[in-house]
Amino acid sequence: MQAPVSTNYASNSVACKLWGMVDSPVELVFGLALFERLSTYYAKWGCWIYSQQEYTSLLQTPDLKNRRGTFAIVPQLAYEVIGRLDFAIFIPGLTGSFPMVAIECDGHQFHERTVEQASKDRKRDRALQKYGIPVLRFTGTDIVRRSVELADEVADFLDLRAEEKERIAFLERGIDVAQALEEGRSFPAPYPWPRIKAGTSLATRVYGR
């Protein structure tokens, strides 16, 4: 009797969902790489793929509290002024409706952009910066050759952004994290705190000292 074929149902489901949401095979490759990396980047965190409608609905439902310690990837997120982003990545409990970063996959046909396309892209980048949304651009060739490495790069960038945003969130609420820890007091956080990279020892993030 033939042995059953081993499958990864979760990965296959993500691939199927992404395929129906992205614009090119290059975006599919990078979307899968981002999902795999972010799913295991922080201990006890996860990653979800949402359509724009699904993510908007999530922010308006009680289920949001169960998704605070997660990454959310939204392919083809549309902004009226800017247009569609290849990928927008959120941490729902920290930034809500504002992406932590926008990801653009250039050169889907593995050639250089035209002058007109480059000018259009720069205009989009300036518009994103106006709203405080950083953009990371990757060529199609680089994605095909180094998708795992580039996904690591995005994850590390998100880690720095999360630390920055987290620090601001605590300051706006008048929370001195270092003092609270020293005194053994609890304090509200945007997600189960601290964020700990998977595979590392417990390292508490302390701000201001």
Side-chain angles (χ1 to χ4, degrees):
M1 185 171 67
Q2 185 177 3
V5 177
S6 176
T7 63
N8 187 326
Y9 180 78
S11 296
N12 289 340
S13 296
V14 169
C16 289
K17 183 168 186 177
L18 272 173
W19 181 243
M21 301 169 73
V22 298
D23 272 353
S24 72
V26 167
E27 289 177 22
L28 176 64
V29 168
F30 203 33
L32 288 172
L34 289 170
F35 175 81
E36 292 291 339
R37 187 65 190 98
L38 296 180
S39 293
T40 58
Y41 191 72
Y42 291 136
K44 299 182 180 180
W45 279 48
C47 183
W48 294 77
I49 305 291
Y50 296 97
S51 68
Q52 183 167 355
Q53 183 178 0
E54 288 172 338
Y55 187 72
T56 300
S57 297
L58 173 70
L59 296 178
Q60 300 171 351
T61 65
D63 193 44
L64 176 61
K65 66 181 180 181
N66 299 321
R67 301 290 173 90
R68 293 182 305 148
T70 62
F71 291 103
I73 300 175
V74 182
Q76 296 299 308
L77 180 71
Y79 283 103
E80 184 175 349
V81 178
I82 300 169
R84 290 184 180 274
L85 306 176
D86 289 340
F87 296 103
I89 303 179
F90 300 81
I91 297 179
L94 187 61
T95 58
S97 60
F98 287 91
M100 297 286 286
V101 66
I103 306 293
E104 294 284 80
C105 306
D106 296 332
H108 299 324
Q109 302 302 320
F110 312 108
H111 54 64
E112 294 297 323
R113 290 173 294 166
T114 64
V115 173
E116 292 77 12
Q117 184 61 49
S119 177
K120 180 180 178 182
D121 290 342
R122 294 292 178 267
K123 183 177 180 180
R124 283 160 56 86
D125 291 353
R126 292 193 298 272
L128 287 165
Q129 290 171 6
K130 178 180 178 181
Y131 292 101
I133 303 172
V135 57
L136 299 179
R137 289 188 173 276
F138 303 98
T139 67
T141 301
D142 280 343
I143 289 170
V144 170
R145 292 175 177 173
R146 303 187 295 121
S147 62
V148 173
E149 179 184 339
L150 297 182
D152 283 339
E153 183 179 325
V154 172
D156 289 340
F157 180 84
L158 284 165
D159 183 53
L160 293 175
R161 282 279 289 169
E163 185 167 339
E164 173 191 358
K165 292 288 187 182
E166 189 180 273
R167 182 187 295 110
I168 293 172
F170 284 136
L171 288 174
E172 288 178 344
R173 291 165 175 76
I175 299 171
D176 186 328
V177 175
Q179 184 176 349
L181 291 172
E182 186 176 332
E183 296 175 356
R185 293 187 289 106
S186 61
F187 50 88
Y191 33 64
W193 191 89
R195 291 172 291 110
I196 305 170
K197 290 184 181 179
T200 63
S201 58
L202 178 62
T204 304
R205 299 171 184 269
V206 179
Y207 308 119
R209 299 193 183 179

